[in-house]
Amino acid sequence: MSIAPYTVTDPVAEHGEGPVWSSRWGGLRWVDMLAGDVLALDPRGGVRRRHVGKVAAALRPRTSGGYVVAGERELLLADGDDLDAPLHSLGEAWSDPGVRMNDGGCDPDGRFYIGSMAYDETPGGGSFYVAGPGGDLRVVLPEVTISNGFDFSPDGSLAYYADTTTGRVDGLDYDPESGLSGRRPFAVIDPEQGAPDGLTVDAEGGVWVALWEGAAVRRYDASGRLDAVVSLPVRRVTAVTFGGEGLDRLFITTSALGVDRAEQPDAGAVFAADPGVQGRPVLLTTL
């Protein structure tokens, strides 16, 4: 099935990533990652922007109110839901300036996970971490290259994860006590069709995957079968999330990094599509 997209914003980001919808903060937020900015879409279609540091890699709402932002090498906590709420750092997670945080997400029990990657994309130069209550990071998956999308099945028993350079979306079993285990391939993407970046899971268990250099978002059903495609007019598609009052609108972020905007004038815009299926509320963190 082919689904048509439409633009929601102008090309406002150099490297748009990590979209999250929360009714608590009034709708959609995402990051302009390497600009170090968090962006917010207001109800009239305008975009507000907040600078948080050298990098803004990912964000999620907190159960106690406020939100967490992954910076270059630290987690930042906002104590209020407002975009401009004061931030404080949980401390530098590592000292290597050649490695930065990338995409992340939460498990059904409120733990926050964050991936890393080397700026020069050194193979195995990153890790996938889970944060403890005080923000200390423990390695869950070592020696990943470009840690990207992470989300859960509707019943919370399965996680989906993409290390972009593998060309795969992997499945993992999830247990509230023991965490993630049993990593295995869920969907394999031909390199000529792009590489898996951010992802989200809908209410039916379908996995929507943004394809970097693939000009598309693909939906795989719970068995791993490709059953829907959103084709976009830009090649560097980065991440997806469901939003809107009914969680029935698919928001898609894109990147203009290394792109000729004369050829792809909408690179860096947020797109949306109406896929005929609902998403699920964003998982919150207890940080």
Side-chain angles (χ1 to χ4, degrees), residues 171-188:
L172 300 99
D173 298 311
Y174 175 70
D175 178 83
E177 299 299 325
S178 57
L180 299 171
S181 64
R183 183 180 178 186
R184 68 270 189 190
F186 166 73
V188 179

Side-chain angles (χ1 to χ4, degrees), residues 6 32 95 104 127 129 131 163 181 223 271:
Y6 49 91
D32 191 350
S95 58
S127 297
Y129 301 92
D163 178 2
S181 64
S223 72
F271 293 80

Side-chain angles (χ1 to χ4, degrees), residues 80-121:
D81 289 327
D82 187 78
L83 180 66
D84 296 314
L87 289 171
H88 67 273
S89 174
L90 296 181
E92 190 175 72
W94 59 82
S95 58
D96 184 350
V99 176
R100 65 169 176 84
M101 293 183 176
N102 206 44
D103 204 357
C106 298
D107 70 24
D109 295 283
R111 288 174 286 251
F112 182 71
Y113 294 71
I114 189 67
S116 67
M117 60 175 286
Y119 275 102
D120 64 3
E121 301 182 9

Side-chain angles (χ1 to χ4, degrees), residues 38-284:
V38 177
L39 283 66
L41 184 68
D42 70 34
R44 296 173 300 282
V47 176
R48 295 184 295 141
R49 181 183 291 262
R50 181 197 185 164
H51 186 67
V52 299
K54 184 175 180 181
V55 169
L59 73 159
R60 286 295 185 279
R62 301 167 65 200
T63 56
S64 60
Y67 58 96
V68 59
V69 182
E72 185 183 32
R73 299 192 297 275
E74 64 184 342
L75 299 181
L76 305 164
L77 297 185
D79 293 325
D81 289 327
D82 187 78
L83 180 66
D84 296 314
L87 289 171
H88 67 273
S89 174
L90 296 181
E92 190 175 72
W94 59 82
S95 58
D96 184 350
V99 176
R100 65 169 176 84
M101 293 183 176
N102 206 44
D103 204 357
C106 298
D107 70 24
D109 295 283
R111 288 174 286 251
F112 182 71
Y113 294 71
I114 189 67
S116 67
M117 60 175 286
Y119 275 102
D120 64 3
E121 301 182 9
T122 298
S127 297
F128 187 55
Y129 301 92
V130 62
D136 55 302
L137 299 184
R138 175 178 62 82
V139 175
V140 177
L141 299 174
E143 297 182 358
V144 301
T145 301
I146 303 178
S147 187
N148 255 312
F150 182 62
D151 200 7
F152 282 78
S153 62
D155 68 0
S157 67
L158 293 173
Y160 298 95
Y161 171 76
D163 178 2
T164 294
T165 57
T166 66
R168 302 190 313 266
V169 174
D170 290 335
L172 300 99
D173 298 311
Y174 175 70
D175 178 83
E177 299 299 325
S178 57
L180 299 171
S181 64
R183 183 180 178 186
R184 68 270 189 190
F186 166 73
V188 179
I189 295 156
D190 185 325
E192 293 186 358
Q193 303 299 314
D197 202 319
L199 61 85
T200 194
V201 181
D202 64 36
E204 297 178 356
V207 182
W208 297 80
V209 185
L211 296 185
W212 178 262
E213 290 292 358
V217 174
R218 288 183 171 185
R219 182 188 193 264
Y220 296 87
D221 70 15
S223 72
R225 180 181 65 90
L226 175 65
D227 69 356
V229 177
V230 183
S231 296
L232 291 127
V234 298
R235 293 200 57 78
R236 296 191 155 182
V237 185
T238 56
V240 286
T241 197
F242 281 89
E245 289 186 9
L247 293 177
D248 55 359
R249 194 178 187 196
L250 188 69
F251 290 94
I252 305 163
T253 53
T254 66
S255 176
L257 282 178
V259 168
D260 183 347
R261 285 190 189 263
E263 295 178 356
Q264 300 177 54
D266 289 326
V270 174
F271 293 80
D274 301 313
V277 64
Q278 287 183 305
R280 300 168 302 119
V282 62
L283 295 172
L284 311 183

